[in-house]
Amino acid sequence: MDRELATGPQHKSLGVGRVSDEKKDAHQVTMGAGDVEIALAEQQVKTYYSKLSVWLMVLFSGLAIGSDGYNAAVIGNVELLLAILYPDALTTSIYQRLSNAFLIGMIVGMLLFGVVVDQLGRKTGAVATTILLVLGIVLSAAANGTDPTGLFWMMIIARGIAGVGAGGEYPVSGAGAAEATDENGTMRKRRGFMFAMLADLSASLGYVWGGLVPLLLLLCVGQKEEHYDIVWRTSFALGLVPPVVIFWFRMRMAVSTAYRKSSMRKQRTPYLLAFKRYWRPFIGGAATWFLYNWISIPFGIFSSTIISRTNAGDSLIKNLGWGVVINCFYLPGPFMGGYLSDKIGRRKTMALGFTLQAILGFVLGGAIWPIQQNFALFVVLYGVFLTLGEVGPGSTVVLVASECFPTSIRGQMMGLISAFSKAGAAIGTQVFTAILKAYTNDSAKGDQVAFLIGSGFAVLGALIAFFVVPEVSRQLDDDDAAWKIYLADHGWIADWGDNVTKDPAGVIMDQRSS
């Protein structure tokens, strides 16, 4: 179905292209109870931005989310070093605050930038989140104080600032990538796989690097305790690389076709009508992402801790190494989940992954003692447990949160849903930490409790995914048109589209709507 494009001078850049004014021949149709005008362009050359630009948008969005994964994961390994350097100052309360500061910052960033990207544009949000993330990482790496407690508090604040920037990436990258893949019919059909690479594989790679970097740095300094300070500071500082790399590209972003024609820029948002119409995808997306993060984040962050408890007495370097091996099990999941989500749909893929993860989790929990006697078997089963989480919800939650809502509220809904997800991660991390602390004298019992609780939540996730999460049209314009009619029928008048923001010079536009 051909889609209407906003008119304006033809530009070129790496980003979203706008339609030219050539052969403009549109007639207006008034639908619904209000004055909603939908331009139906006939015999018009419709230009969309190039396939290369789509791939660049997905690539750089993936780098941004991968950076978030790295910065979220690296703290678990850094805390192992800090516990050796400052055993008295790193109390349980400080440990928990340090673990959760980034996650709480992310919740703030998701809520804040969900509004920013809808009201002020995708580019404004992208640039601002990158700046905040860089600032937070710099402050984390440079953290200091008059005593270890002061150092930890500066680190907690810095991690919170970085978290705000990282959290903003979800509505920025989710909304931007969804709209980018809608520019081309072929890529729209592969959106599930592309989002799995963008949101899941990149975050998984971030977790792998979050364990690998401290390990390699420890080897570089000869595992000498007097150099641990260099290791943890450098581990934080290397998180700067992805946001710095993508900053130039984000300064060159242009406006997507969907935002150009269907945004409600700088206008009041009809939240009540939005929730009346979209309550089902909102509840389904928020609940499944909450449960996925409740399971995935703590098990990933504490992989090195679990390994050190299971393989007690081994060296720090070996425990970090086993943690990296376990995190590598995240990587196959996005490929399988992305393929399935395009073939059988988002809802069924999510439910399948949750179900398989629950089954394996119950096996691990029920037979934890004999399984842990065979260390290699435990590592493999633990890794497959993480893989199955990525096959299902890991590959689909961001896509569901981006695809199920119209352009004018996509960022805000994405921000709200992802905030619920990080609340799940924060609560899950607190509970996970409490479980491990409660069973310090019986580590196998603590691991058993963690797996059984996680598997129970996976069962709940499977039920919500299958019965609540809807299947929707993969062409974003379909829901945008229906949303406009719905608002008009309820007497809501809006000025649709963004005809003010100018694209940078150099946009490549070579695609027709398909």
Side-chain angles (χ1 to χ4, degrees):
M1 181 176 74
D2 280 346
R3 296 182 299 152
E4 167 198 350
L5 293 171
T7 60
Q10 184 166 338
H11 297 283
K12 297 184 177 180
S13 171
L14 290 178
V16 180
R18 291 157 48 192
V19 72
S20 66
D21 281 328
E22 298 176 6
K23 303 180 181 179
K24 180 179 178 183
D25 181 19
H27 62 277
Q28 296 177 336
V29 178
T30 301
M31 291 182 290
D35 296 326
V36 176
E37 297 179 345
I38 300 178
L40 304 174
E42 299 174 352
Q43 299 179 354
Q44 179 179 352
V45 176
K46 297 191 174 183
T47 52
Y48 292 73
Y49 74 153
S50 67
K51 290 182 180 179
L52 174 62
S53 294
V54 174
W55 281 109
L56 286 173
M57 172 66 79
V58 173
L59 172 63
F60 287 112
S61 295
L63 281 174
I65 291 182
S67 173
D68 298 347
Y70 174 86
N71 285 291
V74 74
I75 189 63
N77 298 301
V78 164
E79 283 175 335
L80 293 176
L81 303 176
L82 296 175
I84 296 172
L85 290 173
Y86 310 106
D88 296 326
L90 190 59
T91 62
T92 300
S93 60
I94 291 292
Y95 183 91
Q96 291 177 342
R97 290 186 180 101
L98 194 54
S99 296
N100 284 326
F102 191 78
L103 292 173
I104 294 170
M106 289 185 77
I107 293 172
V108 174
M110 289 164 172
L111 296 173
L112 173 64
F113 284 98
V115 176
V116 170
V117 297
D118 282 345
Q119 291 292 312
L120 302 180
R122 312 314 192 205
K123 177 179 177 179
T124 300
V127 172
T129 56
T130 304
I131 292 172
L132 277 174
L133 181 59
V134 168
L135 175 63
I137 292 172
V138 169
L139 292 176
S140 297
N144 217 324
T146 57
D147 56 24
T149 300
L151 180 148
F152 285 136
W153 275 107
M154 180 176 177
M155 195 182 300
I156 289 167
I157 294 170
R159 291 278 297 170
I161 294 172
V164 174
E169 289 293 351
Y170 283 80
V172 167
S173 298
E179 291 161 13
T181 55
D182 201 56
E183 300 286 334
N184 179 274
T186 301
M187 292 187 177
R188 189 183 303 121
K189 293 176 183 177
R190 299 173 183 169
R191 185 184 290 143
F193 187 81
M194 294 179 74
F195 257 76
M197 300 299 101
L198 151 71
D200 196 17
L201 180 63
S202 58
S204 298
L205 286 170
Y207 271 86
V208 171
W209 281 104
L212 187 60
V213 167
L215 172 62
L216 294 176
L217 290 172
L218 275 174
L219 292 174
C220 289
V221 300
Q223 305 178 51
K224 296 179 180 178
E225 186 174 331
E226 59 267 27
H227 296 315
Y228 281 7
D229 187 72
I230 297 174
V231 172
W232 72 257
R233 290 183 186 277
T234 306
S235 297
F236 279 144
L238 288 175
L240 284 170
V241 175
V244 169
V245 167
I246 66 176
F247 187 75
W248 180 87
F249 172 79
R250 289 190 151 176
M251 291 296 295
R252 304 288 300 165
M253 284 179 64
V255 183
S256 71
T257 301
Y259 190 85
R260 180 68 75 186
K261 61 176 288 190
S262 297
S263 66
M264 293 175 63
R265 189 173 185 270
K266 294 185 178 181
Q267 298 175 65
R268 193 158 57 93
T269 301
Y271 290 112
L272 182 59
L273 291 175
F275 282 108
K276 282 183 177 180
R277 180 173 175 82
Y278 295 103
W279 66 268
R280 183 178 171 187
F282 178 81
I283 291 175
T288 52
W289 203 346
F290 176 96
L291 294 170
Y292 162 67
N293 270 5
W294 201 102
I295 302 166
S296 176
I297 298 296
F299 275 99
I301 289 176
F302 293 103
S303 59
S304 295
T305 303
I306 291 174
I307 291 299
S308 66
R309 289 156 59 97
T310 305
N311 200 26
D314 226 331
S315 68
L316 174 63
I317 201 75
K318 286 185 179 180
N319 291 331
L320 285 174
W322 278 113
V324 172
V325 170
I326 285 178
N327 283 336
C328 284
F329 279 91
Y330 282 116
L331 303 182
F335 292 94
M336 294 183 281
Y339 174 80
L340 288 173
S341 70
D342 284 332
K343 292 297 181 182
I344 66 174
R346 315 339 182 184
R347 175 176 62 89
K348 293 178 181 177
T349 300
M350 188 185 294
L352 176 63
F354 266 132
T355 300
L356 295 176
Q357 188 179 39
I359 292 171
L360 181 55
F362 283 128
V363 170
L364 277 165
I368 194 71
W369 286 277
I371 290 175
Q372 285 192 347
Q373 295 303 310
N374 187 330
F375 185 67
L377 176 63
F378 174 74
V379 170
V380 170
L381 291 179
Y382 184 21
V384 173
F385 176 81
L386 297 178
T387 299
L388 294 173
E390 305 312 299
V391 171
S395 298
T396 53
V397 286
V398 177
L399 180 54
V400 166
S402 300
E403 200 175 46
C404 289
F405 303 99
T407 299
S408 59
I409 58 172
R410 180 169 295 118
Q412 294 168 84
M413 289 300 172
M414 177 73 178
L416 282 170
I417 290 175
S418 54
F420 273 99
S421 79
K422 295 309 173 185
I427 295 170
T429 301
Q430 291 278 14
V431 172
F432 206 106
T433 301
I435 291 171
L436 297 184
K437 295 284 186 183
Y439 292 96
T440 53
N441 296 326
D442 189 355
S443 61
K445 183 68 174 178
D447 296 342
Q448 179 186 49
V449 172
F451 277 113
L452 291 177
I453 292 176
S455 299
F457 279 122
V459 171
L460 179 59
L463 293 173
I464 294 173
F466 193 80
F467 292 107
V468 180
V469 174
E471 294 284 0
V472 298
S473 171
R474 298 185 185 182
Q475 186 155 319
L476 303 183
D477 190 58
D478 291 345
D479 196 43
D480 282 340
W483 172 237
K484 292 174 182 178
I485 295 171
Y486 176 81
L487 290 185
D489 288 343
H490 286 80
W492 190 276
I493 305 300
D495 182 14
W496 296 104
D498 179 5
N499 297 313
V500 176
T501 307
K502 303 298 182 183
D503 288 336
V507 172
I508 301 171
M509 299 185 297
D510 63 358
Q511 300 294 312
R512 283 181 58 88
S513 174
S514 57

